């Protein structure tokens, strides 16, 4: 079991370059199954979720060739329409995109019940609703999801709730369906636009991605091509909050500054600074103790739930009492118990957490409970006085490429040890 050992109380300064977005990449990879040809995917993050996805695609007969550190070639000319391996697909949440993609390509999909970070109940009823609207039969049971159809026919889909995954899955299933599909109450996250842009590049007819109504006109076939994954909004936000938490000064390169507006607004409300250097570079710095703010997580363009725990670290030492309301996931405050071991004073009850800002955190042994909680604990360890030991790095490895190297380059004293 690997651990991070952090010798804290370091002010982070310098430049960091952001990788491609995990949550776009884990949808674009299965989306290649809809293509009859060869796709080159650039700016692919080198993280464990992507490695597992590539292994799953290989079991379906997809040929994957690494042609650069962050570039692969995916040949989906000949695939086998067989069940996806249940043990591999149930390891992570994003395997549910195989259902939309395989339904589109093979008219049949069998996938293990998706696993992933423990954030509370993670139903997939809206995904099933979309597939059924397009003419598929969906059965969920015995640890797997099975969807079959003779043919997919475009239809209206009105989602009961805003769901990133269900929106992308509906797009995947609709791209090769016969006729027109209109998705209403769609999610608007940057990675939805990115998946749509990938499919459009390969010949799909999609309008409105990034708004709450998306119209897809089915096409007969998608062709190969090249695509570069959008920069990771959440990785960029993680480093922005690391700058504030350590009272540092970080220039964040290769990000889309517009995607970070909900976070930039909150950072400025706390009294720290964000300067847009150009459309893809931001400088974030903090000279004094940040002031309290209240946060409510919401679908894009609201404050992202995936930056909630990193923001929690900042609020743990902000001046005054702050409140975070988590409105997306049932259980995303597990990290607060770990921060309390480091001297924070956080009272989390259900979907609300109250942060009584303390002067400083001190190092302690803590455990990551999910991907973003893990990132938050790294930031806390770098800011805290003393030594912090973080276990369960497997969560962090799922979504951040070389996170320790990147923090070291900014002045953190962090090392990975294998016990
Ligand atoms: C995506 O999860 C992300 N994962 C999550 O990122 C992110 O937290 C989440 O979107 C919200 O932004 C990937 O993209 C792989 P949802 P997803 O469907 O698609 C409920 C990270 O740290 N819901 O938008 O699974 C659901 O329970 C991860 O990178 C239903 O009720 O999220 C939740 O309360 C963690 N029925 C809400 O909707 C459904 O059929 C939003 O979930 C689907 C979802």
């Amino acid at each position: 079991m690997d651990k991070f050992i952090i010798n804290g109380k370091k002010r982070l300064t310098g430049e960091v370059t952001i990788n491609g977005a995990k949550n776009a990449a884990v949808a674009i990879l299965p989306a290649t199954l809809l293509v009859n040809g060869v796709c080159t995917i650039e700016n692919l993050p080198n993280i464990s979720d992507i490695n597992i996805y590539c292994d799953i695609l290989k079991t379906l007969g997809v040929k994957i060739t690494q042609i650069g550190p962050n570039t692969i070639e995916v040949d989906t000319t000949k695939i086998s329409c067989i069940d996806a391996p249940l043990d591999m697909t149930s390891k992570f949440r994003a395997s549910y995109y195989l259902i939309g993609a395989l339904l589109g390509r093979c008219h049949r999909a069998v996938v293990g019940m998706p696993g992933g970070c423990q954030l509370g109940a993670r139903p997939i009823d809206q995904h099933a609703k979309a597939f059924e609207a397009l003419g598929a039969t969906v059965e969920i049971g015995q640890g797997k999801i099975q969807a079959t159809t003779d043919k997919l026919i475009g239809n209206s889909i009105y989602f009961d709730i805003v769901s990133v995954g269900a929106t992308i899955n509906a797009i995947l299933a609709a791209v090769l369906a016969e006729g027109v599909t209109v998705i209403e109450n769609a999610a608007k996250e940057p990675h939805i636009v990115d998946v749509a842009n990938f499919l459009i590049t390969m010949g799909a007819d999609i309008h409105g991605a990034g708004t709450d109504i998306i119209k897809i006109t089915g096409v007969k076939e998608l062709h190969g091509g090249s695509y570069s994954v959008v920069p990771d909004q959440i990785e960029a936000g993680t480093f922005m909050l690391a700058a504030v938490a350590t009272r540092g000064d970080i220039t964040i390169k290769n990000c889309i500054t517009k995607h970070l507006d909900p976070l930039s607004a909150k950072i400025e409300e706390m009294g720290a600074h964000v300067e847009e250097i150009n459309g893809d570079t931001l400088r974030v710095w903090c000279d004094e103790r940040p002031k309290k703010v209240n946060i409510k997580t919401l679908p894009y363009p609201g404050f992202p739930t995936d930056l909630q725990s990193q923001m929690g670290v900042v609020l743990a030492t902000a001046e005054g009492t702050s409140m975070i309301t988590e409105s997306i996931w049932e259980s995303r405050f597990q990290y607060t118990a770990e921060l309390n071991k480091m001297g924070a004073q956080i009272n989390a009850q259900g979907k609300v957490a109250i942060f009584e800002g303390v002067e400083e955190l001190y190092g302690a042994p803590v455990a990551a409970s999910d991907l973003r909680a893990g990132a938050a604990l790294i930031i806390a360890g770098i800011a805290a006085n003393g030594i912090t030991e973080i276990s369960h790095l497997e969560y962090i490895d799922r979504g951040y490429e070389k996170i320790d190297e990147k923090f070291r380059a900014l002045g953190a004293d962090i090392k990975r040890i294998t016990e």
Side-chain angles (χ1 to χ4, degrees), residues 22 96 123-126 161 163-165 306 328-329 332 372:
K22 162 195 166 261
Y96 52 34
I124 54 156
D125 56 305
Q126 299 302 304
I161 45 132
S163 159
V164 171
D306 294 345
I328 308 290
W329 297 115
R332 210 168 200 184
R372 309 302 171 186

Side-chain angles (χ1 to χ4, degrees), residues 348-363:
Q349 299 279 344
K351 291 190 157 193
V352 176
I354 307 290
F355 294 70
E356 302 284 352
V358 296
E359 287 278 343
E360 81 174 347
L361 299 176
Y362 48 84

Side-chain angles (χ1 to χ4, degrees), residues 215-234:
K215 184 177 165 197
I216 302 137
T217 305
V219 294
K220 286 247 172 311
E221 195 173 74
L222 298 186
H223 50 73
S226 288
Y227 193 77
S228 178
V229 178
V230 72
D232 198 315
Q233 169 208 10
I234 304 302

Side-chain angles (χ1 to χ4, degrees), residues 22-24 26 93-94 96-97 117 119 121-128 161-166 168 187 189 191 234 305-306 327-330 332 351 370-372:
K22 162 195 166 261
N23 287 343
V26 293
R93 179 77 179 163
Y96 52 34
Y97 293 133
C117 290
L119 310 173
R122 299 184 76 171
I124 54 156
D125 56 305
Q126 299 302 304
H127 301 242
I161 45 132
V162 177
S163 159
V164 171
I168 293 179
E189 268 65 7
H191 36 289
I234 304 302
T305 173
D306 294 345
S327 67
I328 308 290
W329 297 115
E330 259 176 14
R332 210 168 200 184
K351 291 190 157 193
D370 70 72
L371 166 62
R372 309 302 171 186

Side-chain angles (χ1 to χ4, degrees), residues 288-329:
E288 50 191 36
R289 192 172 175 196
K291 293 193 255 320
K292 67 182 170 89
V293 290
N294 292 335
I295 303 280
K296 184 171 186 178
T297 63
L298 285 170
Y300 188 82
F303 190 92
T305 173
D306 294 345
L307 289 172
Q308 190 258 101
S309 28
Q310 301 89 315
M311 177 57 102
V313 176
V314 173
L315 299 185
T317 62
E319 205 177 316
T321 304
S322 308
M323 180 167 85
I324 298 185
T325 308
E326 170 57 55
S327 67
I328 308 290
W329 297 115

